[in-house]
Amino acid sequence: SSDVCSSDLELVGLDDGEEGISIIGHEDSVWLTSRRRADVGGPHHDYVRYFARKADFSDLSSPVMGAPINIPGEVIAKRGNHLITRDRIAGDFGINTALAKVEIQGGRAFLRAYKVLENQWVNAIRFDGEGRLLVTHRQTWESFEGAWSDNLEKLSIFDTEDGLTLLGSRELE
């Protein structure tokens, strides 16, 4: 995925108040993630709602934008009719990362799995070609005690077939 800003996405026609977040390519289409501020009447946190839109570029002279689909976070991977998203949520020691698996059917997203990685900051996420999700992450600085150089990055592998089941995790050197 690559970071973009709203002005980069003007050509695809985002709605007023919608901010472009990222773009990922998949086959002959592109999935755009955008967000809008959401007033939920809560404490001091700002809230946003994330949306995915499929942009079909099979005819470059006339790209077709799909309707926005409300999703839990930013699209970071796609496989078949499933999207994997990354959300940032408030935790005890700052911001946590949550991964979600959603199934796209009939222009709607159905949550199939949701996993909060407590006190972890996710760096990269990729599919391995066999349905497993490879995630590199490290402990958040707010929750880490000790020398920062000792906070080693980890590789965790998740099975996505039945949900987001952790298969294993290992420190990277």
Side-chain angles (χ1 to χ4, degrees):
S1 95
S2 60
D3 293 332
V4 295
C5 63
S6 320
S7 61
D8 294 332
L9 295 176
E10 286 178 11
L11 295 175
V12 296
L14 293 176
D15 296 335
D16 285 340
E18 202 169 354
E19 175 187 12
I21 302 299
S22 65
I23 300 173
I24 66 162
H26 183 73
E27 297 170 351
D28 64 351
S29 64
V30 171
W31 284 84
L32 309 170
T33 302
S34 62
R35 67 182 175 197
R36 296 182 199 143
R37 289 180 108 34
D39 182 13
V40 296
H44 60 280
H45 300 293
D46 288 334
Y47 291 89
V48 294
R49 287 195 169 94
Y50 287 91
F51 297 89
R53 293 174 186 247
K54 179 181 177 184
D56 184 346
F57 288 98
S58 56
D59 179 359
L60 292 177
S61 65
S62 182
V64 177
M65 285 297 297
I69 302 169
N70 189 218
I71 56 172
E74 172 187 359
V75 177
I76 52 174
K78 177 161 187 336
R79 183 168 184 213
N81 63 339
H82 290 97
L83 301 176
I84 301 295
T85 66
R86 172 181 49 205
D87 200 4
R88 293 173 177 95
I89 57 175
D92 292 337
F93 293 100
I95 302 299
N96 286 324
T97 299
L99 301 175
K101 176 182 175 183
V102 296
E103 184 175 358
I104 303 299
Q105 288 183 8
R108 295 178 60 195
F110 296 89
L111 184 64
R112 299 298 182 220
Y114 192 80
K115 180 134 190 113
V116 176
L117 302 177
E118 293 284 336
N119 302 320
Q120 297 294 306
W121 184 257
V122 171
N123 296 317
I125 300 172
R126 300 286 183 269
F127 277 110
D128 71 350
E130 300 294 324
R132 292 178 298 256
L133 200 61
L134 308 177
V135 180
T136 59
H137 56 94
R138 68 178 64 221
Q139 195 169 346
T140 59
W141 70 269
E142 298 95 339
S143 65
F144 186 74
E145 295 179 9
W148 186 248
S149 60
D150 293 334
N151 187 8
L152 298 178
E153 191 161 26
K154 292 181 180 178
L155 171 65
S156 294
I157 303 172
F158 294 88
D159 181 9
T160 62
E161 292 304 314
D162 294 323
L164 291 169
T165 305
L166 179 64
L167 299 175
S169 188
R170 176 180 200 130
E171 287 185 346
L172 300 174
E173 296 180 16

